[in-house]
Amino acid sequence: MQYKDYYKVLGVSKTADKAEIKKAYKKLARKYHPDVNPNDKDAEARFKEINEAYQVIGKEENRKKYDQFGQDWKHADQYGQSGGRQGGGQRGYQQYQYTGSPGGEHDFSDFFESIFGQQARGGGAGFSGFGGRETHFKGEDMQAELTLQLTDVLTTQKRTLTLNGKNIRITVPAGVENGQRIRLKGHGGKGVNGGPDGDLYIRFNIQNNTPFRREKANLYKTIDLDLYTAVLGGDVLLDTLDGQVKLKIKPGTQGNSQVKLKGKGFPKYKKDNDKGDLIVTYQIKIPTELSDKERQLFTELKDLQS
């Protein structure tokens, strides 16, 4: 009997843990399930091979024997007692057979239920090779991306998406962040044999169309102050997301100093009326071209300081 590499069958490494093996098995079993591939003999053969592989390396005890004895893993106990390979007789390999009846050599229905956590029922259309009962599979989860401007998520709003010719009405929460995902249960691929539909995951692509830098609910902005306002003080008008505010500049304001405007930032997630802060950084703008009169005055100031 030709040696079968069950790790290769499931597409996992020999160091894969139990969770990785189970995940790979479930993915392949859904892909090659006869209900998904009706009248496809190649898919059915692959499906049986996948189950065979999982019966061996998906069970810790069997996997240890397989890793040590390969295709003869079923006779591991005999080898352990005799200290070596038994001569004569049939070699230690038994191939799993799919017979499509409860009297067959292996009935995988209970096995499938334990793996997928789904119920099987008798009769009806669809694949019923496991003891005459159907196995239900959840539909495939789907991904979608929604691009919005930053100002679009200042408040909670409704949006309509069109996917596969179907309109889906969703709520976009205020304060949603770039890259954030939400799940719409039951809006994914159709289930198999009456199984539940998959879910739809929407990823938000938020493009910043404002002059502010955003970090969660806080906004940041750097503004220029002319030298005279920084030295003498004064007022500066600043545009925020909800109107203009007047900043009172103190005399002797230093470069890179900051002021925090409470509640003038971005809405917190799902909280339209609860906002973060706007942090303003002052950058002193030094004049580069001076008139003769200005140069004279600066010289006089320098002399006064001396």
Side-chain angles (χ1 to χ4, degrees), residues 99-113:
T99 63
S101 65
E105 191 169 344
H106 291 276
D107 182 0
F108 289 112
S109 57
D110 294 333
F111 169 64
F112 254 74
E113 290 173 36

Side-chain angles (χ1 to χ4, degrees), residues 217-220 260-266 275-279:
N218 288 336
L219 296 176
Y220 296 81
K260 180 187 292 185
L261 306 182
K262 296 287 291 183
K264 291 296 182 179
F266 208 76
K275 297 182 179 181
D277 304 326
L278 171 58
I279 292 89

Side-chain angles (χ1 to χ4, degrees), residues 38-59:
N39 302 320
D40 187 337
K41 296 298 182 183
D42 290 338
E44 183 177 323
R46 183 83 170 93
F47 181 68
K48 288 186 285 184
E49 185 180 44
I50 291 163
N51 279 290
E52 178 182 324
Y54 188 78
Q55 284 278 26
V56 179
I57 65 172
K59 297 182 178 180

Side-chain angles (χ1 to χ4, degrees), residues 14-34:
K14 291 186 177 181
T15 58
D17 59 27
K18 189 174 181 180
E20 291 174 308
I21 292 174
K22 183 175 180 180
K23 181 179 179 181
Y25 165 73
K26 291 175 67 175
K27 182 178 179 180
L28 290 172
R30 286 193 180 98
K31 181 177 180 180
Y32 292 101
H33 192 283

Side-chain angles (χ1 to χ4, degrees), residues 187-259:
H187 285 282
K190 287 293 183 183
V192 177
N193 286 347
D197 292 343
D199 301 326
L200 171 63
Y201 289 86
I202 298 178
R203 179 184 180 277
F204 290 98
N205 176 24
I206 308 298
Q207 299 182 346
N208 191 346
N209 61 333
T210 75
F212 306 100
R213 177 171 61 87
R214 179 191 181 192
E215 288 185 11
K216 295 188 180 297
N218 288 336
L219 296 176
Y220 296 81
K221 184 173 175 59
T222 298
I223 65 172
D224 291 333
L225 285 183
D226 63 77
L227 178 62
Y228 312 106
T229 303
V231 172
L232 301 174
D235 296 331
V236 173
L237 291 177
L238 174 68
D239 290 321
T240 72
L241 292 179
D242 56 1
Q244 280 191 335
V245 296
K246 181 183 290 187
L247 298 178
K248 198 76 174 176
I249 308 300
K250 296 180 180 179
T253 294
Q254 301 297 305
N256 294 322
S257 60
Q258 293 183 328
V259 61

Side-chain angles (χ1 to χ4, degrees), residues 118-250:
Q118 297 161 330
Q119 296 180 343
R121 62 182 182 182
F127 181 68
S128 58
F130 301 141
R133 295 181 293 175
E134 291 183 337
T135 304
H136 306 285
F137 291 97
K138 180 184 176 182
E140 184 179 0
D141 290 340
M142 299 177 66
Q143 310 286 334
E145 184 173 271
L146 178 60
T147 299
L148 297 171
Q149 301 297 315
L150 186 59
T151 51
D152 290 333
V153 291
L154 278 170
T155 58
T156 298
Q157 59 176 284
K158 299 287 186 180
R159 286 277 174 147
T160 300
L161 301 180
T162 302
L163 294 173
N164 299 325
K166 181 180 178 181
N167 290 332
I168 302 174
R169 187 76 167 168
I170 68 169
T171 298
V172 179
V176 68
E177 294 192 42
N178 183 48
Q180 191 171 340
R181 296 198 313 168
I182 61 172
R183 182 181 71 138
L184 302 180
K185 187 176 180 181
H187 285 282
K190 287 293 183 183
V192 177
N193 286 347
D197 292 343
D199 301 326
L200 171 63
Y201 289 86
I202 298 178
R203 179 184 180 277
F204 290 98
N205 176 24
I206 308 298
Q207 299 182 346
N208 191 346
N209 61 333
T210 75
F212 306 100
R213 177 171 61 87
R214 179 191 181 192
E215 288 185 11
K216 295 188 180 297
N218 288 336
L219 296 176
Y220 296 81
K221 184 173 175 59
T222 298
I223 65 172
D224 291 333
L225 285 183
D226 63 77
L227 178 62
Y228 312 106
T229 303
V231 172
L232 301 174
D235 296 331
V236 173
L237 291 177
L238 174 68
D239 290 321
T240 72
L241 292 179
D242 56 1
Q244 280 191 335
V245 296
K246 181 183 290 187
L247 298 178
K248 198 76 174 176
I249 308 300
K250 296 180 180 179

